[in-house]
């Protein structure tokens, strides 16, 4: 069964989509907006042009131009620009595809994505995602309540492959023996319900797990954890001696 999807973008307006794809898109969009709605006032309080012009515009004139909303990047509304960015980040859509879907050039897509990615980082990084124990307990899955009821956060390291630099010294710092490649390494924490509650900065791939934990700032946050609560980590993530002190 094929249904026509009513949408303002060029792609959905002109094509018939199978019911399965329609359901998948509807679910993805619903999830994105459920997560985004509570943050929308924080996101839209300052336009991306304004905040970027304050921090990174190379000249005052460029800053004023962005703040006014002039130029081809602003043919689309802020809502459409944000949707485009979320489609890129969450669904991995190619820039060429996004340009066709939204009726703009690939260059404009690149400019919008760069602007909004920086804006979201600058704006949302100011929001604390560290939860109170009451919130963790209230959203804890039944399986955790039965087996690991005192779990506060689950920690692990993640590595992202990066290009091999020409500098031999930097190559040595970035090289990860675990991945056998140059990587950037970060510490990730999630609540038992799967929500991200901690994200560190990225460090060179050669950093050890212990050093990563010490540098990330997670230990100072763990000082606020109520007594008797636990941190869960993979067996190979040997940080128990650091956690005992906190």
């Amino acid at each position: 069964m094929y249904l026509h999807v009513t949408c303002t973008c060029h792609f959905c307006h002109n094509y018939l989509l199978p019911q399965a794809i329609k359901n998948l898109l509807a679910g993805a969009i619903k999830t994105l907006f459920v997560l985004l709605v509570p943050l929308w006032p924080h996101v839209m309080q300052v336009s991306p042009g304004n905040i970027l012009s304050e921090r990174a515009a190379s000249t005052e004139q460029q800053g004023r131009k962005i703040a006014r909303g002039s130029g081809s990047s602003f043919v689309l509304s802020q809502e459409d620009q944000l949707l485009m960015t979320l489609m890129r980040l969450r669904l991995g859509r190619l820039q060429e595809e996004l340009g066709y879907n939204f009726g703009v050039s690939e260059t404009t897509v690149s400019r919008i994505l760069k602007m909004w990615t920086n804006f979201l980082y600058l704006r949302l990084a100011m929001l604390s995602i560290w939860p109170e124990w009451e919130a963790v307990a209230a959203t804890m899955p039944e399986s955790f309540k039965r087996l690991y009821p005192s779990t506060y956060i689950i920690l692990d390291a993640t590595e992202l492959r990066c290009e091999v630099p020409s500098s031999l010294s930097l190559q040595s710092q970035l090289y990860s023996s675990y991945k056998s490649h140059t990587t950037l390494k970060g510490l990730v924490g999630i609540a038992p319900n799967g929500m991200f509650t901690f994200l560190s900065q990225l460090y060179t791939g050669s950093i050890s797990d212990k050093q990563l934990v010490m540098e990330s700032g997670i230990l100072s946050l763990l000082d606020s954890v109520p007594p008797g609560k636990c941190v869960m980590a993979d067996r190979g993530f040997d940080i128990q001696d650091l956690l005992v002190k906190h």
Side-chain angles (χ1 to χ4, degrees):
M1 178 179 180
Y2 285 79
L3 297 177
H4 191 273
V5 180
T6 302
C7 180
T8 57
C9 81
H10 181 69
F11 180 79
C12 291
H13 183 71
N14 291 283
Y15 287 85
L16 299 177
L17 297 179
Q19 179 66 48
I21 296 180
K22 178 179 180 293
N23 293 340
L24 180 62
L25 289 173
I29 292 173
K30 180 180 179 181
T31 301
L32 286 172
F33 277 95
V34 165
L35 295 174
L36 182 63
V37 165
L39 299 176
W40 187 254
H42 301 281
V43 173
M44 300 309 296
Q45 185 176 352
V46 180
S47 71
N50 285 336
I51 195 169
L52 288 178
S53 65
E54 292 174 4
R55 183 180 186 273
S58 58
T59 66
E60 183 178 354
Q61 181 179 3
Q62 288 176 330
R64 289 197 300 268
K65 180 179 179 181
I66 295 176
R68 286 198 308 269
S70 59
S72 57
S73 296
F74 294 86
V75 172
L76 300 176
S77 66
Q78 287 188 349
E79 290 78 6
D80 282 343
Q81 292 180 46
L82 177 58
L83 178 60
M84 176 190 290
T85 305
L86 294 176
M87 290 174 67
R88 172 63 175 170
L89 295 177
R90 182 64 181 87
L91 304 177
R93 295 291 186 247
L94 299 177
Q95 294 188 21
E96 182 180 5
E97 179 185 1
L98 291 172
Y100 180 78
N101 291 351
F102 286 87
V104 295
S105 69
E106 190 173 345
T107 300
T108 297
V109 171
S110 177
R111 187 158 49 241
I112 290 174
L113 294 177
K114 181 178 180 180
M115 179 186 69
W116 272 92
T117 301
N118 286 324
F119 170 64
L120 290 174
Y121 170 75
L122 293 172
R123 197 67 187 159
L124 300 182
M126 294 183 283
L127 302 178
S128 174
I129 61 175
W130 187 257
E132 299 293 336
W133 167 249
E134 290 74 15
V136 175
T139 58
M140 185 176 293
E142 291 299 324
S143 57
F144 266 83
K145 290 181 180 179
R146 292 194 307 270
L147 301 174
Y148 314 105
S150 61
T151 302
Y152 196 101
I153 188 172
I154 305 163
L155 293 178
D156 203 357
T158 186
E159 296 187 61
L160 305 174
R161 289 168 64 101
C162 63
E163 293 184 7
V164 179
S166 57
S167 169
L168 294 179
S169 174
L170 189 54
Q171 281 186 39
S172 176
Q173 295 178 50
L174 289 171
Y175 186 79
S176 166
S177 57
Y178 180 71
K179 295 293 185 179
S180 300
H181 200 277
T182 51
T183 66
L184 294 170
K185 189 173 183 179
L187 183 68
V188 175
I190 62 172
N193 68 354
M195 180 69 71
F196 283 101
T197 57
F198 181 82
L199 294 169
S200 77
Q201 297 183 22
L202 294 177
Y203 299 86
T204 54
S206 61
I207 191 172
S208 67
D209 292 339
K210 287 186 178 181
Q211 190 65 28
L212 176 63
V213 170
M214 294 172 62
E215 296 285 345
S216 67
I218 185 66
L219 295 179
S220 60
L221 290 174
L222 292 178
D223 287 336
S224 64
V225 174
K229 307 311 174 189
C230 299
V231 176
M232 182 178 290
D234 184 86
R235 181 176 298 177
F237 200 63
D238 187 17
I239 57 172
Q240 186 173 0
D241 57 331
L242 295 177
L243 299 179
V244 168
K245 301 176 182 179
H246 296 266

